[in-house]
Amino acid sequence: MLDDDPLFEDGDDGKWYMEMHDAIDIPPHDIRSYYSIISFDHTDITTFTIALSEKLTSLLIKLNVSDLIVISDLKLSFVGNSDNKYPPFQKATQKFNEITKDLEYDEAFKISLIDLPTFIEIIFWIERCDARAPEFIYFCDADEKIAFYLCKSGSIHIIEYANKILSDDLIESLEMHLINGYCEEKFSSSSKIEGRISSRSV
Protein backbone atom coordinates (compact mmCIF):
# COMPACT_ATOMS: atom_id res chain seq x y z
CA MET A 1 0.00 0.00 0.00
CA LEU A 2 1.48 3.33 -1.05
CA ASP A 3 1.31 6.05 1.57
CA ASP A 4 3.60 9.06 1.43
CA ASP A 5 2.32 10.87 4.50
CA PRO A 6 5.14 13.30 5.50
CA LEU A 7 4.31 13.22 9.22
CA PHE A 8 6.73 10.36 9.95
CA GLU A 9 9.88 11.39 8.12
CA ASP A 10 12.41 11.60 10.98
CA GLY A 11 13.83 9.55 13.84
CA ASP A 12 12.51 6.20 15.07
CA ASP A 13 9.01 6.95 13.79
CA GLY A 14 10.42 7.56 10.34
CA LYS A 15 12.33 4.26 10.32
CA TRP A 16 9.25 2.33 11.49
CA TYR A 17 7.07 4.08 8.93
CA MET A 18 9.39 3.33 6.03
CA GLU A 19 9.67 -0.34 7.04
CA MET A 20 5.91 -0.71 7.35
CA HIS A 21 5.33 0.92 3.94
CA ASP A 22 8.14 -0.98 2.24
CA ALA A 23 6.86 -0.25 -1.29
CA ILE A 24 6.73 3.49 -0.77
CA ASP A 25 9.15 4.26 -3.65
CA ILE A 26 7.24 2.26 -6.25
CA PRO A 27 5.18 4.60 -8.44
CA PRO A 28 1.46 3.78 -8.44
CA HIS A 29 -0.23 2.79 -11.70
CA ASP A 30 -3.61 4.04 -12.81
CA ILE A 31 -5.52 0.75 -13.14
CA ARG A 32 -9.28 0.42 -13.38
CA SER A 33 -10.68 -1.77 -10.61
CA TYR A 34 -14.05 -3.15 -9.53
CA TYR A 35 -14.96 -3.83 -5.90
CA SER A 36 -17.65 -6.17 -4.60
CA ILE A 37 -18.51 -8.20 -1.50
CA ILE A 38 -19.86 -11.73 -1.68
CA SER A 39 -20.97 -14.20 0.95
CA PHE A 40 -23.09 -17.31 1.42
CA ASP A 41 -25.51 -18.70 3.98
CA HIS A 42 -23.57 -20.68 6.56
CA THR A 43 -24.00 -20.00 10.27
CA ASP A 44 -22.00 -22.88 11.78
CA ILE A 45 -18.63 -21.32 12.52
CA THR A 46 -17.02 -24.68 13.29
CA THR A 47 -17.36 -25.76 9.65
CA PHE A 48 -17.32 -22.33 8.01
CA THR A 49 -13.72 -22.28 6.77
CA ILE A 50 -14.15 -25.70 5.14
CA ALA A 51 -17.23 -24.50 3.23
CA LEU A 52 -15.55 -21.18 2.41
CA SER A 53 -12.45 -22.94 1.05
CA GLU A 54 -14.55 -25.20 -1.17
CA LYS A 55 -16.46 -22.26 -2.65
CA LEU A 56 -13.34 -20.14 -3.16
CA THR A 57 -11.48 -23.04 -4.79
CA SER A 58 -14.40 -23.60 -7.19
CA LEU A 59 -14.56 -19.88 -7.94
CA LEU A 60 -10.83 -19.56 -8.62
CA ILE A 61 -10.80 -22.64 -10.85
CA LYS A 62 -13.63 -21.13 -12.92
CA LEU A 63 -11.59 -17.90 -13.17
CA ASN A 64 -8.46 -19.85 -14.25
CA VAL A 65 -6.52 -18.84 -11.16
CA SER A 66 -4.01 -21.44 -9.96
CA ASP A 67 -1.47 -19.55 -7.83
CA LEU A 68 -1.99 -16.89 -5.20
CA ILE A 69 0.18 -14.43 -3.30
CA VAL A 70 -0.88 -13.91 0.34
CA ILE A 71 0.28 -10.52 1.59
CA SER A 72 -0.83 -7.93 4.14
CA ASP A 73 -1.53 -4.31 3.27
CA LEU A 74 1.27 -3.15 5.58
CA LYS A 75 4.55 -4.84 6.43
CA LEU A 76 3.41 -6.01 9.85
CA SER A 77 3.44 -9.42 11.53
CA PHE A 78 0.44 -11.46 10.40
CA VAL A 79 -0.15 -12.39 14.05
CA GLY A 80 -0.45 -9.31 16.24
CA ASN A 81 -1.67 -10.90 19.46
CA SER A 82 -0.15 -14.35 19.94
CA ASP A 83 -1.19 -14.29 23.63
CA ASN A 84 -4.86 -14.69 22.71
CA LYS A 85 -5.84 -18.08 24.20
CA TYR A 86 -9.12 -18.52 22.30
CA PRO A 87 -8.89 -22.16 21.06
CA PRO A 88 -9.74 -21.68 17.33
CA PHE A 89 -7.29 -18.77 17.15
CA GLN A 90 -4.59 -20.79 18.91
CA LYS A 91 -5.13 -23.69 16.50
CA ALA A 92 -4.80 -21.34 13.52
CA THR A 93 -1.65 -19.65 14.83
CA GLN A 94 -0.08 -23.05 15.59
CA LYS A 95 -0.61 -23.98 11.93
CA PHE A 96 0.88 -20.61 10.93
CA ASN A 97 3.92 -21.27 13.13
CA GLU A 98 4.37 -24.75 11.63
CA ILE A 99 4.59 -23.13 8.18
CA THR A 100 6.74 -20.10 9.06
CA LYS A 101 8.61 -21.21 12.22
CA ASP A 102 8.10 -17.60 13.28
CA LEU A 103 4.94 -16.05 14.81
CA GLU A 104 6.33 -12.61 13.91
CA TYR A 105 6.56 -13.47 10.21
CA ASP A 106 5.80 -10.39 8.08
CA GLU A 107 6.66 -11.41 4.52
CA ALA A 108 4.40 -12.84 1.79
CA PHE A 109 3.48 -16.39 0.74
CA LYS A 110 3.06 -17.90 -2.70
CA ILE A 111 0.52 -20.72 -2.54
CA SER A 112 -1.36 -23.04 -4.87
CA LEU A 113 -5.04 -23.92 -4.62
CA ILE A 114 -4.02 -27.07 -2.72
CA ASP A 115 -2.75 -24.82 0.08
CA LEU A 116 -5.83 -22.60 0.07
CA PRO A 117 -7.90 -24.41 2.78
CA THR A 118 -5.04 -24.16 5.29
CA PHE A 119 -4.49 -20.47 4.62
CA ILE A 120 -8.22 -19.68 4.63
CA GLU A 121 -8.50 -21.22 8.10
CA ILE A 122 -5.44 -19.34 9.39
CA ILE A 123 -6.34 -15.95 7.92
CA PHE A 124 -10.04 -16.14 8.84
CA TRP A 125 -9.26 -16.69 12.53
CA ILE A 126 -6.53 -14.04 12.54
CA GLU A 127 -8.88 -11.47 10.98
CA ARG A 128 -11.74 -12.49 13.26
CA CYS A 129 -9.93 -12.65 16.59
CA ASP A 130 -6.80 -10.51 16.33
CA ALA A 131 -7.54 -6.79 16.15
CA ARG A 132 -3.80 -6.08 16.21
CA ALA A 133 -3.17 -8.04 13.01
CA PRO A 134 -2.98 -6.20 9.66
CA GLU A 135 -6.40 -4.85 8.74
CA PHE A 136 -6.23 -6.35 5.24
CA ILE A 137 -4.58 -9.65 4.32
CA TYR A 138 -4.93 -10.13 0.58
CA PHE A 139 -5.10 -13.28 -1.51
CA CYS A 140 -3.85 -12.01 -4.88
CA ASP A 141 -3.99 -13.84 -8.18
CA ALA A 142 -0.36 -14.23 -9.32
CA ASP A 143 -1.49 -13.06 -12.80
CA GLU A 144 -2.96 -9.87 -11.26
CA LYS A 145 -6.53 -10.33 -12.45
CA ILE A 146 -8.22 -10.45 -9.05
CA ALA A 147 -7.55 -10.14 -5.31
CA PHE A 148 -9.69 -10.71 -2.24
CA TYR A 149 -9.57 -10.46 1.52
CA LEU A 150 -11.72 -11.83 4.33
CA CYS A 151 -13.33 -9.62 6.94
CA LYS A 152 -14.03 -10.63 10.54
CA SER A 153 -17.59 -11.66 9.62
CA GLY A 154 -16.34 -14.05 6.94
CA SER A 155 -17.44 -12.06 3.90
CA ILE A 156 -15.23 -12.09 0.80
CA HIS A 157 -14.19 -8.62 -0.38
CA ILE A 158 -13.11 -8.87 -4.02
CA ILE A 159 -11.14 -6.47 -6.20
CA GLU A 160 -11.02 -7.12 -9.94
CA TYR A 161 -8.31 -5.38 -11.96
CA ALA A 162 -8.61 -3.98 -15.48
CA ASN A 163 -11.53 -6.22 -16.53
CA LYS A 164 -14.66 -7.33 -14.70
CA ILE A 165 -14.66 -11.13 -14.78
CA LEU A 166 -16.92 -12.00 -11.84
CA SER A 167 -20.46 -12.32 -13.19
CA ASP A 168 -23.75 -12.55 -11.27
CA ASP A 169 -24.40 -15.95 -12.89
CA LEU A 170 -21.06 -17.28 -11.65
CA ILE A 171 -21.71 -16.07 -8.10
CA GLU A 172 -25.19 -17.61 -8.09
CA SER A 173 -23.89 -20.91 -9.52
CA LEU A 174 -21.77 -21.28 -6.36
CA GLU A 175 -24.80 -20.54 -4.16
CA MET A 176 -23.31 -17.23 -3.10
CA HIS A 177 -24.73 -13.73 -3.18
CA LEU A 178 -23.64 -10.12 -3.38
CA ILE A 179 -23.75 -7.94 -0.27
CA ASN A 180 -24.91 -4.38 -0.70
CA GLY A 181 -23.85 -2.28 2.27
CA TYR A 182 -22.20 -3.50 5.45
CA CYS A 183 -21.19 -7.04 6.38
CA GLU A 184 -23.15 -8.45 9.29
CA GLU A 185 -22.10 -10.92 11.98
CA LYS A 186 -23.80 -14.19 11.12
CA PHE A 187 -22.32 -16.56 13.68
CA SER A 188 -24.03 -15.15 16.78
CA SER A 189 -26.99 -13.01 17.75
CA SER A 190 -24.64 -10.40 19.22
CA SER A 191 -22.39 -8.01 17.33
CA LYS A 192 -19.66 -8.86 19.83
CA ILE A 193 -17.23 -11.43 18.41
CA GLU A 194 -16.24 -14.22 20.75
CA GLY A 195 -12.46 -14.49 21.09
CA ARG A 196 -11.65 -11.09 19.57
CA ILE A 197 -8.98 -9.25 21.56
CA SER A 198 -7.12 -6.06 20.70
CA SER A 199 -4.57 -5.90 23.55
CA ARG A 200 -1.37 -7.95 23.55
CA SER A 201 -1.77 -8.72 27.25
CA VAL A 202 -4.57 -11.26 27.81
Side-chain angles (χ1 to χ4, degrees):
M1 180 175 288
L2 176 71
D3 189 339
D4 55 1
D5 190 331
L7 295 176
F8 299 99
E9 291 181 348
D10 302 317
D12 290 341
D13 283 344
K15 182 175 183 298
W16 167 81
Y17 188 79
M18 293 299 290
E19 288 174 353
M20 186 173 65
H21 297 88
D22 66 342
I24 198 167
D25 294 325
I26 299 175
H29 297 286
D30 185 16
I31 300 173
R32 184 188 299 271
S33 62
Y34 305 88
Y35 173 75
S36 56
I37 307 171
I38 61 175
S39 189
F40 61 101
D41 297 327
H42 193 105
T43 57
D44 182 356
I45 199 168
T46 63
T47 59
F48 176 71
T49 59
I50 296 170
L52 176 59
S53 298
E54 290 173 353
K55 289 187 180 295
L56 281 171
T57 298
S58 296
L59 174 64
L60 293 170
I61 288 171
K62 289 177 182 293
L63 296 177
N64 297 315
V65 173
S66 58
D67 295 300
L68 295 163
I69 306 297
V70 182
I71 189 168
S72 62
D73 62 325
L74 300 176
K75 190 175 171 62
L76 297 171
S77 302
F78 281 79
V79 180
N81 189 359
S82 58
D83 293 331
N84 185 339
K85 303 303 183 189
Y86 186 59
F89 177 77
Q90 278 294 307
K91 181 181 175 184
T93 55
Q94 285 169 8
K95 287 186 177 183
F96 182 84
N97 194 47
E98 288 170 6
I99 294 167
T100 63
K101 307 296 187 276
D102 180 10
L103 278 179
E104 296 184 1
Y105 185 84
D106 62 1
E107 299 293 338
F109 302 91
K110 185 173 184 180
I111 67 171
S112 69
L113 294 188
I114 295 172
D115 306 309
L116 186 61
T118 298
F119 276 84
I120 288 295
E121 180 184 2
I122 291 169
I123 301 306
F124 170 72
W125 287 109
I126 288 175
E127 291 289 15
R128 185 165 176 82
C129 296
D130 189 352
R132 292 189 65 107
E135 184 175 3
F136 304 107
I137 299 176
Y138 293 99
F139 291 77
C140 307
D141 165 30
D143 292 329
E144 301 182 351
K145 294 179 292 189
I146 194 168
F148 64 89
Y149 65 89
L150 307 176
C151 67
K152 60 184 181 290
S153 69
S155 298
I156 307 157
H157 296 245
I158 296 180
I159 306 163
E160 300 169 79
Y161 297 106
N163 298 303
K164 187 162 180 57
I165 57 176
L166 192 63
S167 68
D168 292 346
D169 288 344
L170 176 55
I171 294 169
E172 290 174 7
S173 73
L174 297 169
E175 298 182 342
M176 305 181 83
H177 57 265
L178 285 165
I179 294 178
N180 295 311
Y182 295 102
C183 301
E184 295 182 359
E185 170 61 22
K186 58 187 174 184
F187 302 113
S188 72
S189 57
S190 168
S191 60
K192 179 177 172 59
I193 293 178
E194 183 179 3
R196 186 169 178 83
I197 297 174
S198 58
S199 171
R200 287 187 182 267
S201 57
V202 181

